[in-house]
Amino acid sequence: MRKIFIIILLVFSYLNIFSQVKENTKIPEHPKIGLSLSGGGAKGFAHIGVLKVLDSLGVKVDYISGTSMGAIVGGLYASGYSGKEIEKIVLETDFYNLIAGQNNRAESTFFDKSVDKYLIKVPVKKGKVTLPSSISSGQKNIYLLKELFKNVSNIKEFSKLPIPFMCVATNLESGTTKVFESGDISESIMASSAFPSLMDPVKVGDSIYVDGAMTVNFPSEFLKKKGMDIVIGVDLSQGLSKRDNVNSIVDIVNQVIDFGIVKESENQKKYTDLYIHPILKNLGATSYDEKEKILNIGYKTTLQYVDFLKKLPKRNYENLTAPTNPIYSNIYKIDDFELENNNIYEESYILGKMGLKIPSLETYGSINKMIDKLYATNNFKIIKYDIIQKDNKNILKLIVNEDTNRYFLKFGLHYDNVFKSGLLANLTIKRLLFRNSSLSVDGVFGDKPRYYINYFIDNGYIPGFGIYASGMTFDLKDKEGIATKKWTWYRNEAYIQSIWKDKFAIGGGLSYDYFDATDYTNTTNSYGSFLNPYAFFKGDNQDSKTFPKRGYYTEIEAKMYNVFGNKADKRAFQIKADIRANFPITKWLTYRFNTFYGISINPVSEFYQYQLGGIFDQKVGNFVKFHGYYFGQEKNNNVMQISNYFQFNPYKNYYITTNFSVANLFDNFDDAKFMNINYSSIGLTAGYDSPFGQIKLNYSHAFNKNPGIFSVVLGHWF
């Protein structure tokens, strides 16, 4: 009985497999084979499994049509990539990062690095708050696709690719289907895969397009119209969900979208001779963590049709090598630069932010990095680019879509042991008085109210001008954790700054400080105002402000104090250097080295003495971070401090950091004690880099009579 059951099961399985082959399908003597690949987001990785089977059998494909992810995979295959090569690309690509489209901090402008502290950013247009059109502009997709398709970038007719190709998009204005068969292949594929709400619509010519799945997700019919005798179709649609699985607004939206997709896919089956339908249960369009699983399902599903596929013609591998565009060699010369569609930002600004000087020898990767720097200014919605040949010259052509929004509201939350809890509200205004300017006004409401004002004119290669103002109040504690002094500090300054590659800045300025200090122990007050000229050098390419894994931060400043003070007093000078370097040892372990040196020539006011203590990582005067002590607990005219961190990253955004620090405070170099190590401490921090900013729990202990200190930090520093 058991044997009979197994035989019946096998028969039904056999019939089920071959029921996917269209009835009465006959393979002609010299058939033309078409391959139709549907959209499906992450489910599209199943296409790669299909291609690997076709490659293993040597099946000749004469034409490919694709929608969305099917267009991406199909376009790569049509351009000469094998199934295994596409598999490698997919496994090495961070698709979540592509969709998020977040700027690389190391490439951000100096100004943006200094004001990197907000959770929410909302554009304001004509007095009304506006919402973004999507999660991503698609800029990072441009980098990836340009790189992947560089060898066929000079082929404008897709029928002339190693395998003829077409992809499907939807005209956003008319709702009609657009089949791309010529043009820029990267641009066409982006239009085909621009899923609404995830990615901005893509402009091609005078029209704008979104994901082809909105009209034809499974494009088999177009292959029949091209004369294909046999169409192999891979359909990733999983049908409509039952009511028990439609529980959220996202589920409802997906279900509504699927109404049309399912109906049209059924229509396209009529034009499909071999229908491959991988069952991707509990896997969705955003299941990017399940790459290998989805790929393997596609592979195993296709193996069921080996007998049919073996009957198809075999291809000539020699004809599948994509021709190489000579201008995309490893190193090439950029002879000229063309800019199109810029109405706000001048060429000098754009070249300066890119760090490009003409003529220049560049690699394709370096061009991508330059574009990334320009995009990181947040002044452009999207930047399209190409390298064209004209009059025996290689010309880098940029087509920019400038962000015309000038007003932004931003918000943030933070807690630390110094300023306690705070709500940050910000108004940012671009192009105030000058087209390359940015004004940022912060108001912090909470236990310790304060404000910050930043205004900077960024001229690219040309030196820029900035204004800064701040006001704050905070307490200083003794070793018992008891508040002993209250400081109120106002700063106003103007400076000139020249920026190089947004990694280095050099400049100088004039600052005016006003201090008012109250001593809680004897209720006495001290105050002072100081006008101080200064010069500085800064460098910053850290990949993260809170949990850096690579990069460096350097700030060197020389300052003369109180130029209009009593001439009978000796003029005071200070030189300080803050140096931080991060060295990745493994993927999960980073060594971080921090050192701070502060030297005073002639005595300085108490307000400018170097004050040691706390884990506070915000630039506040001459306060120097040092574990095991309260904020500003110890002070003197000179300081030397060294900290060693080992940062462990055991899982995703979770971190464990150990710290060992040594320091010395001393009056002057005439005292032999300046070489002593008077302070040392250890610390342990558990951290989480959340979407809402950092979460840090720290315990630190000083090697003296200081009790251990527990500290909490929540949210971005401000």
Side-chain angles (χ1 to χ4, degrees):
M1 186 70 181
R2 185 179 177 183
K3 288 183 178 180
I4 294 173
F5 177 77
I6 293 172
I7 292 171
I8 293 172
L9 185 63
L10 290 172
V11 168
F12 272 99
S13 298
Y14 180 86
L15 292 173
N16 182 60
I17 290 170
F18 281 90
S19 67
Q20 306 300 313
V21 179
K22 191 175 180 181
E23 191 177 355
N24 300 322
T25 296
K26 294 181 180 180
I27 303 175
E29 187 174 350
H30 300 290
K32 292 182 178 180
I33 310 301
L35 179 63
S36 171
L37 304 177
S38 79
K43 294 183 292 183
F45 301 144
H47 294 317
I48 304 169
V50 176
L51 297 180
K52 289 176 68 177
V53 175
L54 296 181
D55 286 346
S56 68
L57 300 174
V59 175
K60 178 178 179 289
V61 176
D62 296 284
Y63 223 116
I64 299 173
S65 65
T67 297
S68 197
M69 184 63 80
I72 297 173
V73 175
L76 290 171
Y77 198 64
S79 299
Y81 290 89
S82 68
K84 285 187 176 180
E85 288 171 333
I86 300 172
E87 178 183 32
K88 185 175 184 295
I89 291 168
V90 165
L91 294 179
E92 293 178 350
T93 300
D94 184 348
F95 286 90
Y96 289 115
N97 184 45
L98 278 179
I99 293 172
Q102 295 180 344
N103 293 334
N104 182 347
R105 184 187 182 276
E107 305 299 342
S108 297
T109 67
F110 246 85
F111 184 84
D112 285 339
K113 288 173 183 175
S114 66
V115 296
D116 179 21
K117 53 195 173 187
Y118 307 107
L119 297 179
I120 302 172
K121 176 181 175 181
V122 183
V124 178
K125 208 168 193 177
K126 296 182 180 179
K128 296 181 179 180
V129 173
T130 60
L131 297 176
S133 59
S134 64
I135 294 175
S136 171
S137 68
Q139 187 66 43
K140 289 187 178 293
N141 298 63
I142 292 178
Y143 303 149
L144 179 62
L145 293 176
K146 285 285 187 182
E147 179 69 28
L148 293 176
F149 290 101
K150 63 185 179 183
N151 286 347
V152 294
S153 62
N154 58 335
I155 300 176
K156 301 305 178 183
E157 296 292 332
F158 301 165
S159 61
K160 296 180 180 178
L161 291 168
I163 302 175
F165 171 74
M166 57 183 162
C167 60
V168 179
T170 302
N171 188 302
L172 183 59
E173 294 175 294
S174 65
T176 56
T177 302
K178 170 66 177 178
V179 180
F180 285 101
E181 299 181 79
S182 62
D184 185 317
I185 189 169
S186 300
E187 187 176 65
S188 300
I189 289 174
M190 277 196 63
S192 178
S193 56
F195 191 83
S197 74
L198 288 182
M199 192 175 299
D200 283 348
V202 176
K203 185 179 180 183
V204 182
D206 294 327
S207 300
I208 54 175
Y209 299 94
V210 294
D211 200 307
M214 302 298 104
T215 49
V216 181
N217 189 52
F218 181 36
S220 295
E221 180 181 2
F222 306 111
L223 293 172
K224 285 294 186 181
K225 290 180 178 180
K226 289 293 181 180
M228 297 299 105
D229 301 298
I230 302 293
V231 173
I232 303 170
V234 187
D235 181 14
L236 304 175
S237 63
Q238 302 299 300
L240 297 174
S241 301
K242 302 298 183 183
R243 70 173 71 179
D244 293 341
N245 296 321
V246 184
N247 301 312
S248 67
I249 186 170
V250 176
D251 294 334
I252 295 172
V253 171
N254 287 335
Q255 183 83 337
V256 172
I257 293 173
D258 285 345
F259 289 160
I261 291 176
V262 170
K263 184 178 180 180
E264 178 56 29
S265 295
E266 283 296 317
N267 177 59
Q268 293 295 321
K269 286 174 68 173
K270 299 186 296 184
Y271 305 97
T272 307
D273 300 286
L274 174 59
Y275 179 73
I276 300 175
H277 186 225
I279 303 302
L280 303 168
K281 190 176 180 180
N282 298 323
L283 296 167
T286 58
S287 300
Y288 296 107
D289 289 334
E290 305 287 349
K291 298 176 188 177
E292 292 190 71
K293 182 179 180 180
I294 296 171
L295 194 151
N296 288 331
I297 291 174
Y299 183 83
K300 292 177 180 178
T301 302
T302 311
L303 286 177
Q304 300 174 0
Y305 311 104
V306 165
D307 289 343
F308 179 86
L309 294 172
K310 283 181 177 179
K311 300 176 184 177
L312 302 180
K314 302 297 184 288
R315 67 184 182 187
N316 183 354
Y317 284 88
E318 294 179 357
N319 297 330
L320 281 180
T321 303
T324 301
N325 187 342
I327 68 173
Y328 289 102
S329 55
N330 290 331
I331 299 177
Y332 52 92
K333 184 181 181 186
I334 298 294
D335 300 294
D336 207 349
F337 179 78
E338 287 187 6
L339 189 59
E340 188 175 309
N341 205 35
N342 64 308
N343 300 309
I344 301 173
Y345 300 99
E346 297 176 344
E347 183 175 304
S348 61
Y349 171 81
I350 290 174
L351 288 173
K353 303 315 293 182
M354 293 174 63
L356 176 63
K357 293 185 178 180
I358 303 296
S360 178
L361 293 176
E362 302 292 343
T363 65
Y364 195 81
S366 69
I367 293 293
N368 275 346
K369 289 182 179 179
M370 288 180 183
I371 301 295
D372 202 27
K373 291 177 185 177
L374 182 60
Y375 182 70
T377 63
N378 295 313
N379 291 327
F380 303 89
K381 291 183 178 180
I382 198 162
I383 304 167
K384 298 180 182 179
Y385 63 100
D386 203 357
I387 302 169
I388 58 178
Q389 290 179 310
K390 187 189 299 182
D391 301 327
N392 295 320
K393 292 182 178 180
N394 295 330
I395 301 171
L396 177 62
K397 181 179 180 180
L398 264 62
I399 304 172
V400 299
N401 183 2
E402 297 169 326
D403 189 350
T404 58
N405 286 325
R406 293 185 58 207
Y407 302 92
F408 300 87
L409 293 176
K410 303 177 184 179
F411 302 93
L413 291 169
H414 181 76
Y415 175 87
D416 62 68
N417 292 60
V418 177
F419 287 114
K420 306 300 181 180
S421 60
L423 168 66
L424 171 63
N426 170 272
L427 172 65
T428 295
I429 306 175
K430 291 185 177 182
R431 303 187 298 279
L432 180 65
L433 302 180
F434 300 89
R435 66 172 63 190
N436 300 337
S437 69
S438 187
L439 171 68
S440 175
V441 181
D442 291 328
V444 182
F445 308 92
D447 295 306
K448 301 289 184 180
R450 53 199 185 278
Y451 67 86
Y452 306 95
I453 301 172
N454 277 282
Y455 178 79
F456 187 67
I457 305 168
D458 191 344
N459 295 319
Y461 282 128
I462 304 170
F465 174 76
I467 296 173
Y468 172 82
S470 63
M472 64 189 70
T473 300
F474 51 85
D475 292 330
L476 302 180
K477 299 178 180 178
D478 61 16
K479 65 179 183 179
E480 304 298 330
I482 299 172
T484 58
K485 282 191 176 183
K486 175 184 176 182
W487 273 31
T488 299
W489 175 32
Y490 299 97
R491 166 167 285 187
N492 299 280
E493 62 183 294
Y495 61 93
I496 296 174
Q497 178 174 279
S498 183
I499 299 171
W500 184 55
K501 294 187 175 181
D502 276 311
K503 295 179 181 177
F504 306 98
I506 187 169
L510 188 67
S511 70
Y512 172 78
D513 291 331
Y514 176 81
F515 296 93
D516 189 339
T518 301
D519 193 320
Y520 290 136
T521 59
N522 55 24
T523 64
T524 58
N525 279 63
S526 59
Y527 58 89
S529 58
F530 308 87
L531 188 65
N532 311 316
Y534 65 92
F536 64 86
F537 170 82
K538 298 179 182 178
D540 186 357
N541 74 339
Q542 294 186 121
D543 59 350
S544 171
K545 198 172 183 178
T546 52
F547 300 98
K549 293 183 178 180
R550 62 180 69 249
Y552 56 81
Y553 175 88
T554 303
E555 183 175 358
I556 301 171
E557 182 183 85
K559 182 175 288 188
M560 178 189 295
Y561 284 100
N562 204 19
V563 291
F564 295 127
N566 190 339
K567 294 182 179 179
D569 297 335
K570 292 183 178 179
R571 193 71 66 206
F573 295 85
Q574 279 190 332
I575 300 175
K576 60 183 179 182
D578 185 0
I579 301 171
R580 310 176 190 184
N582 310 288
F583 305 96
I585 301 173
T586 67
K587 289 184 177 180
W588 51 270
L589 176 62
T590 300
Y591 170 65
R592 294 166 49 196
F593 174 81
N594 294 3
T595 185
F596 188 98
Y597 298 92
I599 307 301
S600 299
I601 301 173
N602 296 326
V604 296
S605 165
E606 66 169 315
F607 301 113
Y608 292 108
Q609 288 185 314
Y610 295 103
Q611 307 212 172
L612 197 69
I615 68 165
F616 193 80
D617 206 13
Q618 186 82 333
K619 287 292 180 182
V620 178
N622 286 341
F623 288 80
V624 182
K625 181 173 70 173
F626 196 79
H627 290 241
Y629 294 80
Y630 290 103
F631 177 73
Q633 180 183 324
E634 306 290 333
K635 66 180 181 179
N636 216 318
N637 290 325
N638 304 278
V639 64
M640 293 190 295
Q641 179 262 351
I642 297 174
S643 295
N644 299 275
Y645 299 85
F646 284 96
Q647 178 177 277
F648 300 86
N649 182 202
Y651 180 72
K652 292 188 176 179
N653 295 331
Y654 294 89
Y655 297 87
I656 298 173
T657 305
T658 61
N659 165 259
F660 173 67
S661 301
V662 296
N664 188 21
L665 289 167
F666 54 97
D667 284 325
N668 55 68
F669 285 96
D670 295 333
D671 189 344
K673 294 181 179 180
F674 83 90
M675 292 297 294
N676 295 348
I677 301 297
N678 296 327
Y679 305 90
S680 57
S681 68
I682 57 173
L684 180 67
T685 303
Y688 173 55
D689 192 8
S690 80
F692 308 101
Q694 63 182 328
I695 300 174
K696 286 184 178 179
L697 305 177
N698 173 270
Y699 179 81
S700 55
H701 177 74
F703 291 108
N704 61 14
K705 296 181 180 180
N706 249 23
I709 298 174
F710 179 76
S711 303
V712 177
V713 179
L714 303 174
H716 299 298
W717 288 107
F718 57 75

